[in-house]
Amino acid sequence: DAKTTQPTSMDCAEGRAANLPCNHSTISGNEYVYWYRQIHSQGPQYIIHGLKNNETNEMASLIITEDRKSSTLILPHATLRDTAVYYCIVNTGTASKLTFGTGTRLQVTL
Amino acid sequence: DAGVIQSPRHEVTEMGQEVTLRCKPISGHNSLFWYRQTMMRGLELLIYFNNNVPIDDSGMPEDRFSAKMPNASFSTLKIQPSEPRDSAVYFCASSKGGRVAEAFFGQGTRLTVV
């Protein structure tokens, strides 16, 4: 699986959009970009995934660059409950393992 | 659905004792994963089952660790004998089919070996 690079930490004011970047310059054509988050003391939670088109669901939007070498997870209106570690994972999406890196620690503040 | 259910939530045991962690995956999911999380090493995949069959156990640290999935609704992770360095949070996750696109994680078992 391709490796990913994320900033260690980010801050965001409550109510503002949180934009979390991820670099995956070695991504292969059959690899998806997944995002998970882990709120303190809980198990990781799936957020969204995509291949090459931008995706949106009730939790977030995923913007993937045309060359697929990077992506951005957008939480449109961050709340305090969105404070968590966010993991960007590249995976073929088949029967293979999810490899979690160190992620980005997002702190949402008042 | 209640989600992935793990038990116990917390376990404190003495070094050398046997520890058994339990997991009930979401009904209808046929892939199950055991992860371990520590501050030093983050989230590590220990073993992965598909249709109750272990597919990849390369993450199991050593022979003291064993995992079973006797049926589609139950899995165990056993450590025997336990050591202080096994202290961690152990997560179980399940997903539909062989795809990990949307894996659902349990609340974890916090193991402390003293």
Side-chain angles (χ1 to χ4, degrees), chain A residues 76-93:
Chain A
H77 305 287
T79 71
L80 296 177
R81 287 175 293 182
D82 292 321
T83 292
V85 178
Y86 287 77
Y87 298 98
C88 170
I89 301 166
V90 171
N91 184 280
T92 57

Side-chain angles (χ1 to χ4, degrees), chain A residues 32 34 36 38 41-46 48-49 87 91-101, chain B residues 9 33 35 37 43 45 48 50 55-56 58 91 98-108 110:
Chain A
Y32 292 77
Y34 297 115
Y36 279 73
Q38 187 173 22
S41 298
Q42 297 183 21
Q45 176 190 24
Y46 165 85
I48 198 168
H49 76 281
Y87 298 98
N91 184 280
T92 57
T94 56
S96 56
K97 55 190 178 185
L98 280 169
T99 303
F100 289 84
Chain B
R9 289 294 309 277
F33 310 84
Y35 283 83
Q37 186 170 34
L43 267 164
L45 178 69
Y48 145 55
N50 193 39
I55 302 299
D56 182 357
S58 60
F91 289 103
R99 299 183 66 87
V100 295
E102 189 168 357
F104 293 81
F105 283 74
Q107 290 296 302
R110 181 173 295 277

Side-chain angles (χ1 to χ4, degrees), chain A residues 1-37:
Chain A
D1 294 337
K3 289 193 64 174
T4 62
T5 304
Q6 299 178 252
T8 304
S9 64
M10 294 181 66
D11 291 333
C12 179
E14 189 177 34
R16 305 298 291 267
N19 297 293
L20 292 93
C22 179
N23 286 322
H24 31 78
S25 58
T26 60
I27 192 170
S28 302
N30 65 342
E31 288 181 314
Y32 292 77
V33 180
Y34 297 115
W35 283 84
Y36 279 73
R37 73 179 182 184

Side-chain angles (χ1 to χ4, degrees), chain B residues 10-80:
Chain B
H10 302 273
E11 176 82 32
V12 180
T13 191
E14 290 186 347
M15 182 175 64
Q17 296 296 307
E18 175 182 303
V19 175
T20 299
L21 310 182
R22 296 173 174 80
C23 176
K24 178 176 168 28
I26 292 172
S27 176
H29 285 189
N30 58 5
S31 290
L32 183 139
F33 310 84
W34 282 101
Y35 283 83
R36 177 173 68 176
Q37 186 170 34
T38 61
M39 287 293 293
M40 291 294 294
R41 301 172 69 92
L43 267 164
E44 304 173 278
L45 178 69
L46 300 178
I47 188 168
Y48 145 55
F49 292 86
N50 193 39
N51 293 323
N52 312 339
V53 175
I55 302 299
D56 182 357
D57 65 354
S58 60
M60 295 286 263
E62 47 197 277
D63 292 345
R64 296 184 298 105
F65 285 69
S66 62
K68 293 182 179 180
M69 192 164 185
N71 57 61
S73 59
F74 184 65
S75 176
T76 59
L77 178 68
K78 183 182 294 186
I79 308 172
Q80 181 184 23

Side-chain angles (χ1 to χ4, degrees), chain A residues 49-93:
Chain A
H49 76 281
L51 185 62
K52 45 182 151 179
N53 296 325
N54 297 337
E55 302 287 344
T56 296
N57 63 20
E58 64 279 3
M59 289 182 69
S61 295
L62 174 60
I63 308 298
I64 303 174
T65 58
E66 195 167 339
D67 63 7
R68 304 211 318 126
K69 293 186 177 181
S70 65
S71 60
T72 301
L73 179 75
I74 301 172
L75 308 179
H77 305 287
T79 71
L80 296 177
R81 287 175 293 182
D82 292 321
T83 292
V85 178
Y86 287 77
Y87 298 98
C88 170
I89 301 166
V90 171
N91 184 280
T92 57

Side-chain angles (χ1 to χ4, degrees), chain B residues 81-98:
Chain B
S82 58
E83 296 182 3
R85 61 193 167 118
D86 302 330
S87 297
V89 181
Y90 290 82
F91 289 103
C92 175
S94 70
S95 70
K96 281 186 182 178

